[in-house]
Amino acid sequence: MELSLTQPDDWHLHLRDGDLLEAVVSHSASHFGRGIVMPNLKPPITTTAAAVAYRESILKALPANCDFTPLMTLYLTDKTSPNEIKLARNSGVVFAVKLYPAGATTNSQDGVTDLFGKCLPVLEEMVEQNMPLLVHGEVTNPEVDVFDREKVFIDTVLIPLIQKLPRLKVVMEHITTMDAVRFVESCNEGSVAATVTPQHLVLNRNSLFQGGLQPHNYCLPVLKRETHRQAIVSAVTSGSRKFFLGTDSAPHERRRKECPCGCAGIYNAPVALSLYAKVFEEAGALDKLEAFTSFNGPDFYGLPRNTSKIKLSKTPWKVPEYYSFSFGDIVPMFAGETLDWLPSSP
């Protein structure tokens, strides 16, 4: 059995920088035509000039004869100016602005502390420039349970934001709850959408603890109950145009995962398409896979769909236990396990 799909894009991707960038970029570039590249480096990508420079470093790290296009983002801070949004739009290489509530995830300490108090002029300029806001949708109040942070963010930040700026395009990234599904489904098509990761479609929070603590299944937002996983699967396999592929592939060197205070992030770039196919096949919805992987994302961003094709064949293959580099190892999602769908390069 073989599927032919319009080449997918990854609308939420961490490529890191330096040695890590050179190590991982080929895994994404071999499957995806474009990737929305997250700006949470050290220091973060807060200006258009920094985004242009980061883009050049990504292009230099790509394998020869590779057509992968990095779509850059800016890291929103309390000090971002409306003029920076104009510069970003005019650059032709910046396609969105990312909201990290301060302290929500990896390298988010420079994030926003007061969205409505300090960022409203920037958000209003984003409306004028038709620049999407990409949201890590979790509150960081330590009094809120970690498993409730997405729902509380929707109630206290997202709903008021949409009411205040109804023309702002918003992507709720890596949704993890039925609350997020209901919120996105309640919004107007074309104004609010969501990316969905492989891990939040195939794993629940038991996967963090089965057989001992599993650091390579730890990501943020953290995995949730099985009922939430089922709600997300139903949403993405329904054919709704409001949901699209965003892996949130987030590589860390093994020693930064398997340690007393391990980093959040799952490295899924090598297995993402195989896992998405598994989810849609099990739901009896393979006919809806292409829209999720290849159409809904560019349509929301107002970009052309890719014209090249990739193939997914029903060919079992074993995921490597790890990928070894000069600086250490990176352990992929589902390391050592056998997957049923094998993607080919365009």
Side-chain angles (χ1 to χ4, degrees), residues 88-331:
R89 174 53 79 201
N90 292 335
S91 73
V93 302
V94 177
F95 289 85
V97 175
K98 181 67 185 279
L99 167 62
Y100 291 104
T105 189
T106 303
N107 295 345
S108 64
Q109 61 272 16
D110 298 302
V112 170
T113 63
D114 183 358
L115 184 65
F116 296 111
K118 297 183 177 178
C119 298
L120 198 55
V122 170
L123 297 172
E124 290 169 342
E125 185 62 37
M126 289 174 62
V127 172
E128 295 306 310
Q129 299 294 336
N130 198 31
M131 178 75 76
L133 179 69
L134 315 183
V135 175
H136 182 110
E138 291 188 290
V139 297
T140 55
N141 182 343
E143 295 177 5
V144 177
D145 188 284
V146 69
F147 292 101
D148 297 333
R149 289 180 178 179
E150 186 169 278
K151 182 183 187 306
V152 174
F153 187 90
I154 292 167
D155 294 340
T156 62
V157 180
L158 272 183
I159 290 174
L161 176 64
I162 298 304
Q163 290 172 343
K164 187 178 283 284
L165 295 171
R167 293 193 299 128
L168 179 68
K169 290 174 77 82
V170 175
V171 180
M172 191 173 184
E173 302 279 21
H174 44 48
I175 61 167
T176 68
T177 61
M178 64 178 67
D179 309 281
V181 167
R182 289 172 185 152
F183 168 72
V184 173
E185 288 178 339
S186 73
C187 295
N188 293 331
E189 186 173 299
S191 63
V192 176
T195 58
V196 185
T197 75
Q199 56 265 29
H200 294 111
L201 287 170
V202 299
L203 302 177
N204 61 37
R205 65 188 188 180
N206 290 343
S207 303
L208 288 164
F209 309 110
Q210 285 171 335
L213 198 60
Q214 301 296 327
H216 297 288
N217 289 338
Y218 172 55
C219 61
L220 288 172
V222 72
L223 300 170
K224 301 297 194 301
R225 290 179 183 273
E226 173 65 9
T227 49
H228 292 296
R229 187 195 70 82
Q230 291 176 4
I232 299 168
V233 169
S234 296
V236 303
T237 59
S238 70
S240 169
R241 300 179 65 210
K242 295 179 178 180
F243 303 93
F244 43 86
L245 185 158
T247 64
D248 194 18
S249 185
H252 291 286
E253 199 273 323
R254 182 205 291 263
R255 286 169 293 193
R256 298 194 65 213
K257 294 286 290 180
E258 300 175 6
C259 62
C261 186
C263 292
I266 293 176
Y267 185 54
N268 62 33
V271 301
L273 287 181
S274 303
L275 292 175
Y276 287 125
K278 165 187 167 71
V279 168
F280 278 75
E281 180 184 32
E282 290 175 352
L286 279 175
D287 59 316
K288 298 181 175 68
L289 176 63
E290 186 176 36
F292 173 78
T293 62
S294 313
F295 298 160
N296 298 348
D299 291 356
F300 182 85
Y301 275 83
L303 295 171
R305 298 174 179 180
N306 293 323
T307 55
S308 55
K309 298 280 188 178
I310 67 160
K311 287 187 168 59
L312 276 169
S313 58
K314 198 73 179 291
T315 305
W317 65 286
K318 187 177 180 181
V319 182
E321 296 280 356
Y322 55 88
Y323 296 95
S324 191
F325 304 98
S326 60
F327 56 81
D329 299 337
I330 300 174
V331 178

Side-chain angles (χ1 to χ4, degrees), residues 43-104:
I45 305 298
T46 58
T47 67
T48 303
V52 169
Y54 183 26
R55 180 177 183 270
E56 286 303 311
S57 67
I58 295 169
L59 293 174
K60 287 179 182 175
L62 287 172
N65 303 315
C66 176
D67 292 332
F68 179 79
T69 302
L71 308 177
M72 309 313 293
T73 61
L74 295 188
Y75 186 115
L76 184 65
T77 74
D78 291 344
K79 298 177 181 177
T80 304
S81 71
N83 188 58
E84 195 63 57
I85 303 304
K86 292 177 184 175
L87 291 172
R89 174 53 79 201
N90 292 335
S91 73
V93 302
V94 177
F95 289 85
V97 175
K98 181 67 185 279
L99 167 62
Y100 291 104

